[in-house]
Amino acid sequence: MSTQRPTLIAAVAGALAGAATSQALRRSAPPSGLSVEGDEPAPEHKVRADDLDKELIDQLHAATLKASDSCFEMKKLCATVLIPTGTLVALFSGRRLTTAVFVSGLLVIGFFWLADAVGYYYQRRLRAAMDVIWRRRAERCEEGWMPPNTSAASPFRAAFNGSMTFYALLATPVLLALVLYAFDVIDSPATVSP
């Protein structure tokens, strides 16, 4: 037992001496990111152009996703608002079917279509900005790489594209009902019970 005690004491003393030495070395080391001279950042801590471009692409991508989500929410909100709008207009027009019911429905669809087109336009603009950064990064690549080609943003393309078919599908039955109402194919009942 007595032979183990000096070995244990020596091991603890060695560990304490090693810890004290490493703390002393840490105190005398230059601050992180600075070289021994203390004037310039160490080479491993320099910011590279690829790092900055990646951060910028990440920010633009997050903004693009937010714009895409808002376009989807716009479509859901339009479908939700369309029926109550027609009901309210019919209620305020003496509970009778009038042209105002159809026109209000078309106006709701038109306003949401316009708002969605603006969101889509800015989404395309963000993708075009990302395309510029991708091309800049591709020029620095060792291998040949071509980023995906994104179509240019224009107000016409923003208003009339595949995702806006939803509004055309919503407007079609409203327009059809308006035409049928205009030719007296459909009409309000003569008396409406309260």
Side-chain angles (χ1 to χ4, degrees):
M1 180 109 179
S2 60
T3 58
Q4 292 177 352
R5 192 172 208 162
T7 310
L8 182 61
I9 292 172
V12 171
L16 289 174
T21 305
S22 67
Q23 280 186 346
L25 288 174
R26 269 190 249 134
R27 284 188 200 128
S28 66
S32 68
L34 295 179
S35 63
V36 177
E37 294 81 30
D39 293 338
E40 299 177 19
E44 64 270 8
H45 295 305
K46 284 188 178 180
V47 178
R48 299 178 326 177
D50 278 345
D51 296 335
L52 293 174
D53 282 346
K54 182 174 180 345
E55 282 186 36
L56 187 56
I57 284 177
D58 289 344
Q59 290 174 356
L60 289 171
H61 182 66
T64 303
L65 287 178
K66 198 169 261 313
S68 177
D69 287 345
S70 73
C71 289
F72 180 69
E73 292 298 321
M74 198 74 63
K75 289 174 178 63
K76 288 190 334 187
L77 188 60
C78 179
T80 303
V81 168
L82 187 60
I83 300 300
T85 300
T87 305
L88 281 174
V89 171
L91 183 67
F92 288 125
S93 61
R95 296 183 184 194
R96 297 204 32 96
L97 188 61
T98 63
T99 308
V101 173
F102 304 110
V103 171
S104 66
L106 290 173
L107 284 174
V108 165
I109 293 169
F111 286 139
F112 276 99
W113 192 332
L114 181 63
D116 197 2
V118 169
Y120 187 84
Y121 175 76
Y122 284 111
Q123 180 184 347
R124 299 306 298 172
R125 293 287 303 254
L126 288 168
R127 289 188 192 279
M130 289 171 64
D131 191 38
V132 170
I133 298 167
W134 280 333
R135 290 180 191 283
R136 187 170 61 216
R137 288 187 79 188
E139 290 172 1
R140 295 190 294 259
C141 282
E142 293 176 5
E143 309 95 25
W145 182 77
M146 198 63 185
N149 189 14
T150 56
S151 60
S154 73
F156 183 79
R157 280 189 179 175
F160 300 100
N161 60 62
S163 74
M164 301 302 169
T165 307
F166 173 78
Y167 297 106
L169 291 174
L170 276 181
T172 301
V174 177
L175 280 171
L176 181 62
L178 178 61
V179 169
L180 293 175
Y181 178 75
F183 288 107
D184 292 327
V185 176
I186 58 172
D187 196 10
S188 252
T191 59
V192 178
S193 59

